[in-house]
Amino acid sequence: MAIRTIREIGDEVLTKTCKEVTKMTLRTKVLIEDMLETMYQANGVGLAAPQVGILKRIVVIDVGDGPIVMVNPEILETDGEQTGEEGCLSVPGKSGVVTRPNYVKARALDEEMEEFEIEGEELLARAICHELEHLDGHLYVEKVEGELHDVDDREEE
Ligand code: ZN
């Protein structure tokens, strides 16, 4: 396993649409392990493959309940609304207020390419929405209400 370099806002790779994963290879498994390690080392709660420069539809999330690996994820349902601070490892030192659904149901494949569904509320719902947008080349800064501001001691997502 290895820590990968996190790409930052302004890097073109963060604006691209990622490709579906068609089969699980050793290389992709290593990528997933590296993404988890990179996310934990950066104290993030989520990381998408384009953030480490790989244009594949893969995200990893851990909101404190253990790692979630989502390959080719899709949102099936959303409900409600939450408005709160959001940050991104690709936009270091900044955060901003974003409104997201308060509930999300999603479908994805795991590292074995087995399909699963996941439901999340609050931070998990926010993280799923945030990470999936990276796969289509979008950053949360496009959705910030008001101004981006400097993070004091707040946790980054
Ligand atoms: Zn992000």
Side-chain angles (χ1 to χ4, degrees):
M1 297 210 290
I3 303 289
R4 304 222 182 181
T5 304
I6 297 178
R7 306 299 185 95
E8 294 183 2
I9 187 166
D11 190 320
E12 239 187 29
V13 78
L14 295 173
T15 66
K16 311 258 191 214
T17 301
C18 297
K19 291 202 175 70
E20 296 233 319
V21 176
T22 51
K23 78 178 205 284
M24 187 52 59
T25 60
L26 180 59
R27 199 183 164 88
T28 303
K29 284 195 173 174
V30 170
L31 168 68
I32 291 169
E33 289 305 311
D34 287 354
M35 284 172 64
L36 283 165
E37 198 179 346
T38 303
M39 173 183 77
Y40 289 127
Q41 201 244 4
N43 291 314
V45 301
L47 189 72
Q51 291 181 276
V52 294
I54 307 290
L55 294 172
K56 286 185 176 169
R57 303 191 79 81
I58 301 172
V59 308
V60 296
I61 291 173
D62 190 338
V63 295
D65 301 323
I68 301 165
V69 175
M70 301 176 83
V71 175
N72 301 340
E74 272 180 89
I75 289 176
L76 301 174
E77 268 179 61
T78 63
D79 193 33
E81 227 180 58
Q82 56 174 321
T83 298
E85 290 289 334
E86 197 162 314
C88 178
L89 294 175
S90 294
V91 191
K94 300 282 180 189
S95 75
V97 173
V98 183
T99 298
R100 300 281 190 188
N102 195 50
Y103 164 88
V104 170
K105 183 177 180 183
R107 176 168 59 209
L109 305 175
D110 65 15
E111 313 89 304
E112 309 303 329
M113 299 297 270
E114 298 286 341
E115 192 176 293
F116 68 98
E117 287 188 2
I118 184 168
E119 290 178 294
E121 291 184 338
E122 299 173 7
L123 181 57
L124 180 54
R126 178 178 292 280
I128 292 171
C129 294
H130 176 116
E131 297 313 327
L132 266 58
E133 286 180 358
H134 275 295
L135 304 181
D136 291 310
H138 295 290
L139 294 177
Y140 84 99
V141 298
E142 298 163 32
K143 296 201 158 175
V144 165
E145 296 155 28
E147 299 284 317
L148 268 190
H149 51 79
D150 292 335
V151 183
D152 329 312
D153 294 320
R154 274 184 280 262
E155 291 261 304
E156 286 186 57
E157 275 176 34

